[in-house]
């Protein structure tokens, strides 16, 4: 399994030195996400300061943009990184698309499928110099004057990864994407019973198998060196899990662990702003089903045990108190993976 790290910066100028440090520490990839800052700009600085590490948007909100804009950004970052860029896309949820981004929302799975197909049509036109003629239900791209068309990218188009939680979006990922991004809020049962079967159905539509695509999984990890730090990590993770569990889009995860009834209670508390109270509703059984908490060695062993053989790349995320502790987790993870290879 490859190990990726978050590239969290408040200022894009900080992304270059941080990415260089992550590469020196042996990470296989670094990812940004659509949050307080744009996910694309920091990767331009990261590309300039690295040579080997893959650079990923995990995720950029597709429906906040349009295929032509994303195609240009992806093409530029693929050039800057010399072929190391991975375009990770996600749909976000209706309220954000309509009220935060002021963009249309409808049929998200079908729209995402068409979004990716439009991207590929645009890139193909640039690579081959053929006329652009994409006509879909949601997107239409039929104008590309030669003066505005980029030259063929020497590294080819970037790979496209799609995030999905529900079965419809996950199936789309299998059908049209090069990789699948697993949301950090998940359980082993959810992966086995819902996500991976949906992915396989999508892959079957195009005559492919699971080994033909890369599966990337963010993992909720809380780490500590002693009982006090571990309890602090558990408290922080309860709050994060409660936030996810209050969101309707993530109900399938709760259903996978027979906790669907918890969603309504948490959703109601969130609307009342009772965030601290929400965390108290997350008991140890639920927490351990969707997160991994322990010392660096314990967390590493649990990650390898739970994800080895199903995930191609992983990224510990969640609550790790300081950079030194995060480095210990990653070092322990490397040792655990090496041990598992030797005993396989």
């Amino acid at each position: 399994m490859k190990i990726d790290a978050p590239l969290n910066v408040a200022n894009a100028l900080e992304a270059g030195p941080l990415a260089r440090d992550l590469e020196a520490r042996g990470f296989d990839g670094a990812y940004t996400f659509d949050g307080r800052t744009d996910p694309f700009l920091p990767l331009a600085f990261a590309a300039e300061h690295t040579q080997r590490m893959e650079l990923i948007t995990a995720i950029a909100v597709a429906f906040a943009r349009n295929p032509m804009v994303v195609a240009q950004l992806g093409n530029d970052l693929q050039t800057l990184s010399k072929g190391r860029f991975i375009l990770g896309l996600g749909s976000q949820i209706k309220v954000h698309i309509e009220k935060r981004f002021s963009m249309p929302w409808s049929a998200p799975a079908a729209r995402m499928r068409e979004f990716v197909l439009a991207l590929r049509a645009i890139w193909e036109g640039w690579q081959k110099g053929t006329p652009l003629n994409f006509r879909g239900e949601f997107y239409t791209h039929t104008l590309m004057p030669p003066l505005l068309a980029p030259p063929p990218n020497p590294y080819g188009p970037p790979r496209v990864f799609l995030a999905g939680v529900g079965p419809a979006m996950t199936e789309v990922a299998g059908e049209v994407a090069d990789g699948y991004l697993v949301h950090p809020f998940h359980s082993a049962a959810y992966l086995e019973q819902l996500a991976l079967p949906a992915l396989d159905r999508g892959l079957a539509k195009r005559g492919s198998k699971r080994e033909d695509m890369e599966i990337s999984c963010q993992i909720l990890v809380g780490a500590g060196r002693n009982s006090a730090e571990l309890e602090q990590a558990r408290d922080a993770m309860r709050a994060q899990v409660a936030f996810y569990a209050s969101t309707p889009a993530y109900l399938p995860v709760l259903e996978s662990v027979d906790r669907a009834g918890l969603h309504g209670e948490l959703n109601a508390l969130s609307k009342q702003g009772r965030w601290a109270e929400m965390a108290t509703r997350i008991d140890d059984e639920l927490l351990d089903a969707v997160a991994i908490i322990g010392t660096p060695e314990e967390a590493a062993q649990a990650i390898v045990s739970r994800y080895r053989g199903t995930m191609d790349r992983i990224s510990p995320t969640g609550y790790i108190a300081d950079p030194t502790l995060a480095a210990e987790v990653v070092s322990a993870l490397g040792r655990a993976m090496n041990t598992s290879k030797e005993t396989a």
Side-chain angles (χ1 to χ4, degrees):
M1 292 186 291
K2 297 178 182 178
I3 306 176
D4 301 326
L7 193 65
N8 291 336
V9 293
N11 185 328
L13 290 172
E14 301 168 358
L18 176 56
R20 184 172 55 219
D21 177 64
L22 292 173
E23 185 174 74
R25 287 161 53 191
F27 282 100
D28 298 291
Y31 64 90
T32 56
F33 55 89
D34 240 324
R36 293 181 176 179
T37 60
D38 175 85
F40 294 99
L41 187 57
L43 294 184
F45 292 93
E48 184 182 16
H49 287 76
T50 55
Q51 299 295 323
R52 171 192 56 81
M53 193 167 59
E54 291 177 304
L55 305 172
I56 313 158
T57 54
I59 54 86
V61 178
F63 302 157
R65 302 167 173 89
N66 64 57
M68 182 61 70
V69 168
V70 175
Q72 289 178 314
L73 288 166
N75 186 66
D76 288 345
L77 282 170
Q78 182 76 333
T79 301
L80 287 170
S81 66
K82 299 181 179 179
R84 294 181 288 124
F85 176 59
I86 296 174
L87 175 62
L89 297 173
S91 62
Q92 244 301 342
I93 58 176
K94 181 179 180 180
V95 65
H96 279 262
I97 298 304
E98 291 185 338
K99 295 185 177 181
R100 179 177 163 210
F101 294 110
S102 188
M103 294 290 278
W105 173 275
S106 65
R111 183 181 288 271
M112 183 66 81
R113 181 182 183 277
E114 190 174 297
F115 194 106
V116 176
L117 295 179
L119 280 175
R120 298 203 189 282
I122 293 166
W123 286 332
E124 182 178 9
W126 292 345
Q127 290 298 109
K128 297 181 179 180
T130 53
L132 178 59
N133 186 29
F134 183 86
R135 301 174 187 271
E137 179 182 356
F138 308 101
Y139 303 103
T140 298
H141 298 279
T142 58
L143 178 64
M144 180 49 61
L147 183 65
L148 301 179
N153 194 309
Y155 307 100
R159 290 191 292 161
V160 178
F161 284 23
L162 286 186
V165 177
M169 189 66 77
T170 303
E171 189 169 320
V172 168
E175 185 181 358
V176 301
D178 303 298
Y180 170 51
L181 295 166
V182 179
H183 192 279
F185 183 53
H186 64 266
S187 68
Y190 159 82
L191 291 174
E192 180 181 348
Q193 299 167 13
L194 191 147
L196 295 180
L199 189 68
D200 288 339
R201 291 194 297 272
L203 287 164
K205 287 183 179 180
R206 61 174 177 180
S208 298
K209 298 180 180 179
R210 197 180 298 176
E211 53 265 30
D212 297 325
M213 110 175 317
E214 196 165 33
I215 305 177
S216 174
C217 185
Q218 292 187 25
I219 304 166
L220 291 176
V221 177
R225 302 182 185 90
N226 52 53
S227 59
E229 288 185 352
L230 287 170
E231 190 57 35
Q232 186 178 17
R234 295 188 78 85
D235 288 343
M237 294 303 296
R238 288 183 207 279
Q240 187 165 358
V241 168
F243 169 75
Y244 285 137
S246 71
T247 305
Y250 304 137
L251 181 58
V253 179
L254 289 176
E255 292 173 338
S256 75
V257 291
D258 298 322
R259 297 297 185 88
L262 182 62
H263 165 71
E265 181 183 1
L266 291 172
N267 185 259
L269 289 172
S270 71
K271 291 178 179 178
Q272 298 168 30
R274 295 159 66 181
W275 301 102
E277 190 175 343
M278 288 167 59
T280 67
R281 302 296 197 271
I282 309 301
D283 58 60
D284 286 344
E285 183 180 4
L286 175 57
L287 186 63
D288 291 334
V290 298
I292 289 175
I293 299 173
T295 65
E297 293 293 340
E298 290 169 344
Q301 291 292 341
I303 289 170
V304 172
S305 175
R306 187 177 297 186
Y307 296 99
R308 179 187 174 207
T310 57
M311 299 297 125
D312 300 302
R313 58 194 317 147
I314 57 173
S315 174
T317 185
Y319 180 83
I320 302 177
D322 59 71
T324 302
L325 183 57
E328 291 179 26
V329 172
V330 172
S331 296
L333 190 52
R335 291 192 296 272
M337 288 195 295
N338 289 333
T339 301
S340 70
K341 290 178 183 178
E342 294 170 0
T343 57

